[in-house]
Amino acid sequence: MTVELHRLANGVRVVTEHMPGLQSASVGIWVAAGGRHERLDQNGIAHFLEHMAFKGTKTRSALQIAESIEDVGGFINAYTSREMTAYYARVLGEDTGLALDVLSDIVLNPVFDPHEIEVERHVILQEIGQSHDTPDDVIFDWLQETAFPDQPLGRTILGPVARVESFGASDLSGFVDERYAPDNLIVAAAGAVDHDAIVRLAEDRFGHLRSHPGPVIEPGRFGGGECRVVKDLEQAHVAMAFAGPGYQDDDVYAAQIFSSIMGGGMSSRLFQEAREKRGLCYTIFAQTGAYSDSGLMTIYAGTSGEELGELMGLTVDELRRAGDDISDAEMNRARAQLKAGLLMGLESASSRAERLARLLSIWDRVPSLDEIVGKIDAVTVGCTRQIAQNLAASGSAALALYGPVEGSPSVGEVSERLAA
């Protein structure tokens, strides 16, 4: 399998990976236009724009967009994250040109029909309402806002209701003009693809675009603090976060291994101590999330209000203890899990195309699999213990609590116990 990269004269990047033996292909357009690229008055517009992309172009109706891909047995979709908006399709290799034509059409030629804007506005408001009714979803939005206060990286992707209710066609087109510049566009494809053919298609669809500088994004700065929402629920939900490394920091691999040791599976410390040995919760996990310039280590659990204090105390104690006694066996297990997850994720064309775009957006190149595996293998027990020690020494945490959480520990108590 060979990764090939080409940059058009205007800055659009084209990256492909041919996968022998596959009959299908995944192709997409990734745009550096996510939640963190919005001004305060634009919060939620990247996600709104993603919805509107499928509502018609200058040459295709919404139905024709869907039929163009589904008539050949394909699949088309999109998503918005804090750093990217992605439009992608999965088709047979022979239909890659059609897929890229449709995708480029919805990215470059959307028609912001007033009626369709109102339809999608209603859909998005329903989506926001649904997220608010799902405690183990909304708590992560509150945690993000608490971890990165008063900055774009901390705002919700869906946006607040008041903003979503105000967006019009000029707001959508203005965001496109600002952010959908050639330097922010990546065309990525994997599977039964021909690199030269994809480059020609990309040149035809995007080569005419003029490059222009976009607004500079605000760096992520971990702040910390507490968000506590008391509500009469069956379960108390708690999520805590600590500053972590960004994707460009080699410590990101040690942080990922550390979070796996703490709460990455049934053999992890928190699962064993909190659930298996003490029965304090049904769900508990830890994960490391990274952005281009910053990151978070996050722990989530759901339990009863009566047991929340004990669970939080146990969690903090386990984090502190890890700075001294992470073992070689735990280290090797977590490293194997990280590498297996990486390799298993490469078995589909869709995963490979997304990986190409993500790595290219971070490093402006695609590191080889051997390079990444080498960095994972280079992580030592000392590295992971140092991650735990850094957490304890930082004195800064973010805490989000939802449900019957009146008497649970505060973020100050969590930080003090961690540093004790």
Side-chain angles (χ1 to χ4, degrees):
M1 301 180 194
T2 304
V3 174
E4 296 185 81
L5 173 62
H6 179 83
R7 189 186 299 267
L8 304 187
N10 61 2
V12 174
R13 288 166 288 179
V14 183
V15 60
T16 69
E17 185 169 10
H18 178 70
M19 301 171 67
L22 265 65
Q23 299 298 313
S24 66
S26 182
V27 59
I29 301 168
W30 277 260
V31 191
R36 74 176 305 180
H37 301 100
E38 301 166 339
R39 298 188 306 271
L40 179 59
D41 63 309
Q42 295 175 319
N43 186 205
I45 203 166
H47 176 255
F48 204 128
L49 182 61
E50 173 217 318
H51 275 244
M52 289 303 302
F54 295 96
K55 303 304 288 186
T57 72
K58 297 174 183 177
T59 59
R60 291 181 173 95
S61 68
L63 179 59
Q64 287 172 329
I65 290 171
E67 288 179 341
S68 296
I69 299 299
E70 293 180 1
D71 281 352
V72 297
F75 169 81
I76 188 169
N77 208 342
Y79 67 83
T80 306
S81 70
R82 286 188 164 83
E83 296 196 303
M84 303 286 284
T85 300
Y87 307 87
Y88 59 95
R90 181 80 181 271
V91 293
L92 295 177
E94 62 199 52
D95 298 312
T96 304
L98 168 67
L100 189 53
D101 181 63
V102 173
L103 292 168
S104 62
D105 194 22
I106 66 176
V107 168
L108 298 178
N109 305 307
V111 176
F112 302 126
D113 179 82
H115 172 72
E116 296 294 353
I117 289 176
E118 293 307 317
V119 170
E120 285 309 300
R121 191 192 318 279
H122 183 70
V123 170
I124 294 169
L125 291 174
Q126 295 286 342
E127 187 177 357
I128 293 172
Q130 180 177 310
S131 72
H132 289 170
D133 287 341
T134 310
D136 52 357
D137 281 347
V138 72
I139 197 170
F140 285 102
D141 281 339
W142 296 341
L143 184 69
Q144 187 81 15
E145 185 176 8
T146 304
F148 297 104
D150 302 317
Q151 50 191 298
L153 196 56
R155 299 177 195 139
T156 69
I157 293 171
L158 298 182
V161 168
R163 296 288 183 203
V164 172
E165 289 179 335
S166 71
F167 292 142
S170 61
D171 301 300
L172 295 166
S173 60
F175 188 71
V176 170
D177 291 342
E178 287 179 12
R179 300 305 318 181
Y180 280 51
D183 287 342
N184 291 334
L185 301 180
I186 295 173
V187 177
V193 297
D194 178 87
H195 178 75
D196 292 337
I198 297 293
V199 169
R200 288 193 297 270
L201 289 166
E203 182 71 58
D204 181 62
R205 304 309 192 274
F206 299 102
H208 67 284
L209 298 179
R210 288 189 175 185
S211 180
H212 63 84
V216 177
I217 65 170
E218 182 179 340
R221 305 178 312 280
F222 184 87
E226 179 180 314
C227 173
R228 183 185 300 258
V229 179
V230 178
K231 189 172 182 179
D232 184 17
L233 300 175
E234 287 294 323
Q235 271 208 318
H237 301 265
V238 57
M240 61 180 70
F242 306 90
Y247 272 123
Q248 298 188 39
D249 189 332
D250 281 349
D251 281 346
V252 71
Y253 302 104
Q256 289 173 341
I257 290 173
F258 173 70
S259 64
S260 181
I261 290 171
M262 296 308 303
M266 293 175 63
S267 63
S268 66
R269 290 191 171 199
L270 291 174
F271 191 93
Q272 285 294 313
E273 290 296 326
R275 174 176 164 153
E276 296 297 281
K277 294 182 181 179
R278 308 194 193 192
L280 290 175
C281 60
Y282 176 72
T283 301
I284 188 166
F285 63 82
Q287 60 188 14
T288 293
Y291 304 104
S292 57
D293 60 352
S294 53
L296 290 177
M297 182 195 161
T298 303
I299 299 170
Y300 165 82
T303 187
S304 66
E306 295 78 13
E307 294 178 307
L308 181 57
E310 183 181 354
L311 177 62
M312 291 175 65
L314 169 66
T315 298
V316 173
D317 290 345
E318 286 299 316
L319 286 172
R320 190 179 66 246
R321 185 168 67 87
D324 297 321
D325 67 356
I326 287 176
S327 68
D328 288 331
E330 288 177 304
M331 175 73 209
N332 292 335
R333 184 186 307 117
R335 182 192 285 115
Q337 289 173 342
L338 182 57
K339 290 197 292 187
L342 171 65
L343 296 172
M344 290 177 186
L346 298 179
E347 293 182 352
S348 77
S350 297
S351 296
R352 281 189 180 257
E354 182 170 10
R355 173 180 176 270
L356 294 175
R358 179 170 53 83
L359 295 180
L360 189 58
S361 71
I362 296 166
W363 287 291
D364 200 29
R365 67 184 184 92
V366 179
S368 69
L369 187 60
D370 287 344
E371 179 181 344
I372 293 177
V373 170
K375 290 182 177 181
I376 295 172
D377 284 337
V379 177
T380 65
V381 168
C383 295
T384 55
R385 289 183 180 180
Q386 188 63 54
I387 295 291
Q389 292 165 11
N390 291 344
L391 293 184
S394 69
S396 182
L399 185 64
L401 299 140
Y402 189 29
V405 296
E406 298 94 329
S408 60
S410 67
V411 68
E413 291 171 314
V414 167
S415 296
E416 289 176 7
R417 186 163 182 162
L418 188 60

